[in-house]
Amino acid sequence: MQRVRKSASSTGTSQILFALPSLAPTNESMSEHVYKKIELVGSSPNGFEEAVKNALARAKKTVRNMRWFEVTETRGHIENGKIDHWQVTLKVGFTLEG
């Protein structure tokens, strides 16, 4: 946001006017990606990060062109009052071929 100018209003008070950046399309080209989303659940006895890595490593064996993931749920399993393992639910986006 840019400060444009300071002006006086009809009531005698000062006003500061601001200009917002343009939201109009530019001439820059945009990629036209189309993604498919799948949901995975990964687990690990060692923590959330490893649970995510386990899910993605397994998906990599059959899913090509994975581009991003989003953790949508986290939870853990308790056994005898202690954390037994961690579980995460992921949404994974991949580009379609063709």
Side-chain angles (χ1 to χ4, degrees):
M1 189 169 2
Q2 297 176 359
R3 180 177 166 176
V4 176
R5 71 177 193 263
K6 185 175 180 180
S7 68
S9 71
S10 60
T11 61
T13 59
S14 294
Q15 294 178 325
I16 298 175
L17 305 175
F18 292 90
L20 296 175
S22 173
L23 299 178
T26 63
N27 290 334
E28 298 174 24
S29 64
M30 294 181 64
S31 334
E32 295 181 11
H33 296 288
V34 175
Y35 297 94
K36 172 78 174 163
K37 279 197 304 190
I38 59 172
E39 189 171 75
L40 304 172
V41 179
S43 63
S44 168
N46 300 318
F48 291 121
E49 186 175 347
E50 189 172 304
V52 169
K53 288 178 181 179
N54 289 344
L56 295 175
R58 175 57 186 90
K60 183 180 175 183
K61 294 179 181 180
T62 57
V63 179
R64 293 185 304 276
N65 303 319
M66 289 189 292
R67 299 291 185 238
W68 55 266
F69 72 90
E70 171 187 2
V71 175
T72 58
E73 294 178 354
T74 56
R75 63 188 157 273
H77 178 74
I78 300 170
E79 192 71 39
N80 297 320
K82 295 183 180 181
I83 298 171
D84 185 54
H85 69 268
W86 304 89
Q87 213 173 46
V88 295
T89 302
L90 309 169
K91 288 184 180 178
V92 178
F94 58 95
T95 53
L96 299 174
E97 294 178 344

